[in-house]
Amino acid sequence: MKKIIIANWKCNPTALKEAEKIFKAVKKSSKNIRKREIVIAPPFVFLPVFKNSASHLCLAGQNCFYQEKGAFTGEISAKMLKDSGVKYIILGHSERRRIFGETDEMIAEKIKAVLRENLLPVFCLGETKKERKDKQTFRVLEKQIKIGLKKVPLKKINKLIVAYEPIWAIGTGKPCSVEEALRIILFIRKVIARVFNQKAARNIRVLYGGSINSKNSSNYLKKIDGLLVGGASLNPEEFLKILKN
Ligand code: PGA
């Protein structure tokens, strides 16, 4: 199976012109890369502009609301994102949880909404620096998984993608080592096996995210199903190196 590399642009860049420049540069330079599923998650407003020219690139939303439509000022639904051409939707990113107060329960509703549209949820989970120091990582992750996935029907489990994103590694330049990430991914699979079954745990794709760059990416890609890349994905040359690794 192809490794997935997701470019999470977060709230960047601030103008369409700049966004198109990055998008076009990535598209052009990566057109012969077949061994990777390349996914761009730009801010919502750029999606309809990229939709018809995405070619080999896939699009992702960075979040969505769990209702389809209605009186929810400021929200965007999975159905709308589907119409804007996305295949994936990132959910439960630590910035959503921490800054915007998203709870495990809300994330569970969002995952359900994304599956209802037959899109692929990229379910992010991870522990803080303090939780890691206090040896709470497994407890924290188990809770995030058990609540976050409680509305996933067994027949749709194969659509789920999990992204292990330790909060202490995001944007800090201090990634989690490959060994530690592998240990935690194994634990994530064990919990999924308990909640669903062994087959689901084996088949589910678990990505890593947090301070990935062109120098460290190949070490992860040897053993992990894919990567979620933040800062480095806004620089087309750097991102291309990650894709080629
Ligand atoms: P980073 O962000 O690569 O800038 O650390 C990763 C993420 O938040 O997905």
Side-chain angles (χ1 to χ4, degrees):
M1 204 179 257
K2 280 187 189 182
K3 307 249 167 171
I4 310 177
I5 316 270
I6 305 178
N8 178 9
W9 287 8
K10 308 192 180 185
C11 191
N12 300 291
T14 52
L16 174 61
K17 217 170 168 182
E18 179 65 10
E20 282 187 303
K21 208 168 126 193
I22 302 171
F23 190 78
K24 280 184 189 152
V26 171
K27 185 173 139 184
K28 188 160 175 241
S29 60
S30 66
K31 69 175 187 292
N32 294 321
I33 300 177
R34 293 278 167 272
K35 60 178 181 174
R36 307 277 184 241
E37 168 104 342
I38 309 168
V39 185
I40 309 288
F44 295 137
V45 289
F46 304 137
L47 286 168
V49 184
F50 296 166
K51 179 181 171 182
N52 293 323
S53 63
S55 82
H56 63 289
L57 305 177
C58 296
L59 295 175
Q62 297 176 13
N63 174 37
C64 73
F65 187 51
Y66 48 81
Q67 297 286 1
E68 194 180 288
K69 61 177 183 170
F72 306 105
T73 303
E75 291 298 330
I76 289 175
S77 72
K79 206 179 188 72
M80 292 170 187
L81 288 174
K82 188 176 184 179
D83 191 56
S84 298
V86 312
K87 176 175 175 187
Y88 299 87
I89 302 186
I90 300 171
L91 296 171
H93 190 282
S94 62
E95 285 147 21
R96 300 292 324 163
R97 295 176 189 259
R98 190 169 45 84
I99 306 170
F100 302 100
E102 286 194 13
T103 62
D104 293 323
E105 280 77 11
M106 285 161 76
I107 295 159
E109 292 292 345
K110 292 181 178 205
I111 293 176
K112 183 176 155 197
V114 169
L115 290 172
R116 201 168 49 220
E117 296 304 326
N118 275 319
L119 298 173
L120 308 180
V122 180
F123 170 44
C124 301
L125 68 178
E127 81 287 4
T128 64
K129 190 174 172 184
K130 179 163 190 315
E131 286 161 347
R132 177 172 178 252
K133 191 166 154 269
D134 295 345
K135 307 216 177 313
Q136 294 297 309
T137 301
F138 286 171
R139 190 190 58 77
V140 169
L141 297 183
E142 183 160 358
K143 178 170 172 275
Q144 289 174 348
I145 297 168
K146 282 192 171 157
I147 304 177
L149 298 187
K150 72 179 176 190
K151 292 182 184 282
V152 176
L154 182 59
K155 65 174 192 303
K156 294 222 168 170
I157 187 69
N158 62 335
K159 292 204 175 278
L160 183 82
I161 292 158
V162 175
Y164 171 55
E165 294 219 304
I167 297 167
W168 50 270
I170 295 177
T172 58
K174 293 186 186 125
C176 173
S177 71
V178 178
E179 293 69 32
E180 186 173 343
L182 282 173
R183 216 167 36 242
I184 289 169
I185 289 173
L186 192 67
F187 173 77
I188 291 171
R189 289 191 196 281
K190 267 190 198 152
V191 180
I192 289 175
R194 281 209 297 276
V195 177
F196 294 92
N197 56 42
Q198 287 290 349
K199 187 166 168 257
R202 239 190 346 263
N203 293 342
I204 226 160
R205 283 175 290 176
V206 187
L207 319 184
Y208 167 77
S211 294
I212 285 294
N213 58 40
S214 62
K215 296 203 172 64
N216 61 24
S217 58
S218 63
N219 297 333
Y220 295 87
L221 286 171
K222 275 179 210 142
K223 303 208 165 127
I224 294 176
D225 302 332
L227 299 168
L228 207 64
V229 187
S233 71
L234 288 159
N235 175 338
E237 282 169 30
E238 175 77 357
F239 190 57
L240 180 68
K241 285 188 197 153
I242 295 172
L243 293 174
K244 281 188 164 166
N245 271 338

